[in-house]
Amino acid sequence: MKTIWIKNGLVYDGLGTPGVYKDIFLENGMIKEIGEQIQAQTADRIIDARGRVVCPGFVDIHRHCDIKPLYDKSFGHCELAQGITTIVVGNCGMSPTPCPEGEEEAGEMYDFYEPVLGPVIPEKDSMPKTYEEYLKAMDQVRLPINIASMIGTGAVRITVKGFSDKPYTRKELIRARKIIEEVMESGAPGVSLGIMYLPECYATTDEFAYILEPVGRYHKVITTHIRGEGNKMVESVAEAIEIARKAGCALEISHFKSCGIKNWRKDIHTAIGLIEKARKAGQDVTCDFYPYEGGSTALTTMLPPDFVKGDMTRALKFLGTEEGVEEFRRKSRMNWKDWDNFCILLGWDRILISGVVEEEFFPMVGMTVEEAAKSFGYEDGEALAARLMHKENGRTAIINMSMCQEDIDTVARLPYSNVISDAIYGKTDRPHPRMFGAFPKIIREYVRERGLFSMEEAIKKMTSQPAARMGIEKRGCLAEGNFGDILIFDPERFCDHATYADPARLATGLDYCIVNGEIVIDHDTRIEGAFAGKNIRVKHKR
């Protein structure tokens, strides 16, 4: 029997209630008792939390570390250091399963997702091909944190019909819906969409609604990277709401933002109006945000769908020719009716190279595409971008400086918005700082320095609210009978240190991080051999 007695702490239950001085008693991984003066005689560990905040472990419903736990024994350190005890993977339509059976087709999908999910280090043919196989593989891993896994409709589409730009056939629609049905039955918390990304950008509202019908029937949620976050943002929000309405399911709009300087301070308010209208009509629509002005994704998002034409392999090869570079240059300088062109919306001077795989490009990491093009003798940003995508087979990662703080604050203040990190795991020593600092940044900047939230409001957006959104029970709230995921920290010292210039810096000031009743961080030090996380399957309601 393992017991922990936390005494004298200022306890925030995660539900938005102001802090109250209470004791908490943990037994066998669960919260056994909470009270103002618990009369416990003894415990295996007694922690005096006087002068400290005690709150639920943070729940990050949007990280892209689907593959990492399968092979990286060091995984979990940057998550635990910032107080994250539960995560949800399989976001933005991207997940390692389902996966095509063919080795070449599977490899094409892994390469395409590598800037976001990271490289497949084990032999590719040994990777799980179905969601159930993925869950079984995760069951065999010693997890440092709790993980719940969605699948993405991008992976579903690639599995069913590759990168084709052709509409789903009736047979393909039935197969895609059957995959999603099986995943719902297996305990997925939801299904994600990445409508901006290839090949999902070729799909229609009605196609999405049809294949997602099981999500509504199982009373679960879809999360979506909308079709456009720039000029097309408002109509893209409307499309996401319509997909959810037709499928009969709840909707979480992922990393809700307005990109492109000319769209700042206006489009976000119009889009919020659409969300509020849907909510008043009875639709379950919410959103999330990360506290940074820059986004992070793959360089291939700069490829116009009309350039790819449903064949990513051909497109990447074509970029290695003079004709391909010229066509990319021409099409990347055009405005498209059905695609937000970030090459124009932002410009190559606001797109940073954050992760590369080929040694010749290592010196470019941390530079904008425009800076690197000038420094290394390329004709222009398009020429360098084409070279990177061709030589790296589409595996280059970037950071887009695309947002303004005023819009971020507008979303943050919404009572139904959740905090996320959207951390991506492409191979680099210069990741987006949100990987290391998103959650303590909320405490430091949004609570302590700017007063945008009270402590209880901030904690709710990082604990009970996201947990409830994904149907994760008995986590995100300090209550008797819940799992013992608990943080203890000095609110004046707990903070982030990661910046764009120096992003791989751990957060500090966390006295204790407890996962399922086991101490895994003790005064900023990770306990060796502490792997207390669980592979979560979410119960479904019929």
Side-chain angles (χ1 to χ4, degrees):
M1 181 183 294
K2 292 183 178 179
T3 55
I4 300 175
W5 185 3
I6 303 168
K7 302 171 61 176
N8 307 316
L10 183 60
V11 175
Y12 291 85
D13 61 10
L15 298 175
T17 308
V20 178
Y21 287 98
K22 291 184 178 181
D23 293 357
I24 301 176
F25 193 80
L26 305 178
E27 184 176 274
N28 290 336
M30 310 295 288
I31 299 174
K32 184 178 181 181
E33 186 179 354
I34 299 178
E36 292 187 9
Q37 286 186 325
I38 292 175
Q39 299 301 313
Q41 297 300 311
T42 187
D44 297 323
R45 182 73 179 266
I46 299 175
I47 297 173
D48 188 345
R50 195 181 308 273
R52 300 293 187 263
V53 163
V54 180
C55 73
F58 298 145
V59 179
D60 186 355
I61 62 174
H62 197 118
R63 286 182 92 87
H64 289 283
C65 50
D66 308 56
I67 298 172
K68 271 277 188 180
L70 297 177
Y71 71 87
D72 188 350
K73 293 182 180 179
S74 67
F75 165 72
H77 198 32
C78 74
E79 290 80 8
L80 291 171
Q82 60 181 302
I84 298 170
T85 58
T86 300
I87 62 172
V88 177
V89 298
N91 288 283
C92 293
M94 303 179 190
S95 55
T97 65
C99 181
E101 287 294 333
E103 185 176 342
E104 183 177 341
E105 291 81 5
E108 187 178 23
M109 188 178 93
Y110 294 145
D111 287 346
F112 182 60
Y113 286 163
E114 183 172 322
V116 177
L117 303 186
V120 174
I121 299 300
E123 291 297 322
K124 291 183 178 180
D125 60 4
S126 70
M127 284 288 289
K129 292 295 192 291
T130 69
Y131 180 75
E132 191 58 40
E133 288 175 359
Y134 176 77
L135 288 185
K136 288 178 180 177
M138 291 286 279
D139 284 338
Q140 302 304 310
V141 175
R142 298 174 69 206
L143 295 173
I145 53 182
N146 307 306
I147 301 180
S149 306
M150 297 188 290
I151 65 162
T153 50
V156 172
R157 187 177 175 103
I158 294 169
T159 299
V160 170
K161 63 188 290 94
F163 284 86
S164 171
D165 57 353
K166 301 296 188 292
Y168 276 109
T169 66
R170 179 66 181 171
K171 185 178 180 180
E172 288 167 342
L173 281 171
I174 292 171
R175 185 183 172 199
R177 187 148 111 175
K178 186 174 186 297
I179 290 171
I180 291 173
E181 173 95 37
E182 292 170 350
V183 167
M184 293 293 95
E185 185 68 31
S186 294
V191 172
S192 75
L193 289 66
I195 313 178
M196 187 190 86
Y197 294 109
L198 295 160
E200 289 186 82
C201 60
Y202 301 123
T204 67
T205 299
D206 286 340
E207 286 174 333
F208 278 117
Y210 180 86
I211 67 174
L212 292 167
E213 182 274 340
V215 184
R217 188 157 27 91
Y218 280 72
H219 304 286
K220 292 187 180 178
V221 65
I222 59 171
T223 70
T224 181
H225 187 137
I226 58 178
R227 192 176 295 274
E229 296 177 326
N231 295 345
K232 313 296 181 190
M233 190 269 285
V234 173
E235 60 195 75
S236 297
V237 167
E239 178 190 30
I241 292 171
E242 181 67 4
I243 289 170
R245 186 189 68 79
K246 288 185 172 182
C249 59
L251 169 66
E252 175 88 358
I253 298 175
S254 298
H255 37 65
F256 181 38
K257 57 183 178 285
S258 179
C259 299
I261 297 169
K262 71 176 186 176
N263 301 317
W264 291 349
R265 302 180 183 87
K266 57 186 180 73
D267 284 3
I268 200 73
H269 299 285
T270 306
I272 290 170
L274 294 178
I275 294 172
E276 300 285 1
K277 182 179 179 181
R279 287 170 62 88
K280 286 179 182 177
Q283 258 191 274
D284 186 358
V285 183
T286 55
C287 62
D288 49 55
F289 73 99
Y290 49 80
Y292 297 90
E293 295 170 66
S296 188
T297 186
L299 183 58
T300 50
T301 58
M302 301 296 158
L303 284 175
D306 186 70
F307 180 89
V308 178
K309 294 185 173 70
D311 191 337
M312 180 59 74
T313 299
R314 181 209 64 83
L316 294 174
K317 287 181 179 178
F318 190 37
L319 287 170
T321 67
E322 290 184 11
E323 296 81 4
V325 174
E326 183 54 41
E327 182 174 331
F328 171 60
R329 179 181 288 115
R330 179 173 60 83
K331 291 189 172 181
S332 67
R333 294 180 180 182
M334 295 169 57
N335 284 306
W336 296 87
K337 182 179 179 181
D338 55 354
W339 180 69
D340 274 338
N341 187 349
F342 275 55
C343 308
I344 294 174
L345 270 172
L346 299 181
W348 298 111
D349 61 328
R350 295 181 69 87
I351 299 169
L352 284 73
I353 302 167
S354 62
V356 297
V357 295
E358 298 293 334
E359 189 173 350
E360 67 175 284
F361 302 121
F362 286 177
M364 299 181 183
V365 173
M367 302 175 73
T368 69
V369 173
E370 185 173 283
E371 289 171 342
K374 290 177 180 177
S375 298
F376 293 91
Y378 288 84
E379 184 177 347
D380 50 30
E382 290 91 350
L384 173 56
R387 173 77 173 173
L388 282 164
M389 287 185 280
H390 170 69
K391 287 287 289 183
E392 299 214 312
N393 203 30
R395 294 178 289 173
T396 310
I398 57 172
I399 292 175
N400 299 323
M401 301 306 297
S402 57
M403 294 163 271
C404 75
Q405 188 64 54
E406 188 175 327
D407 283 356
I408 297 169
D409 289 352
T410 296
V411 175
R413 288 189 182 100
L414 295 172
Y416 49 81
S417 66
N418 301 306
V419 176
I420 61 167
S421 69
D422 193 15
I424 71 173
Y425 286 74
K427 188 177 181 181
T428 178
D429 58 359
R430 294 286 294 272
H432 193 296
R434 65 194 183 189
M435 172 182 275
F436 283 78
F439 284 74
K441 180 174 166 62
I442 292 290
I443 301 296
R444 173 186 61 78
E445 179 187 334
Y446 286 61
V447 175
R448 194 163 71 231
E449 295 175 358
R450 294 202 288 129
L452 197 72
F453 302 135
S454 65
M455 181 66 77
E456 58 265 28
E457 289 171 331
I459 289 173
K460 180 181 179 181
K461 286 177 177 287
M462 298 189 287
T463 57
S464 68
Q465 195 165 277
R469 193 63 181 129
M470 304 308 297
I472 298 172
E473 297 181 347
K474 296 187 176 183
R475 300 189 192 277
C477 171
L478 298 183
E480 292 175 1
N482 281 5
F483 293 104
D485 299 341
I486 297 177
L487 308 179
I488 303 172
F489 59 86
D490 181 341
E492 297 299 319
R493 292 178 50 250
F494 185 38
C495 67
D496 60 309
H497 301 285
T499 63
Y500 291 109
D502 190 9
R505 297 184 63 192
L506 292 169
T508 60
L510 190 57
D511 291 336
Y512 296 96
C513 178
I514 301 171
V515 178
N516 292 311
E518 183 173 345
I519 296 172
V520 296
I521 294 282
D522 187 337
H523 291 85
D524 289 329
T525 300
R526 185 173 176 181
I527 304 301
E528 187 175 351
F531 291 89
K534 295 183 178 181
N535 186 29
I536 297 174
R537 290 169 172 83
V538 175
K539 295 178 181 178
H540 65 260
K541 301 174 184 178
R542 297 298 297 268

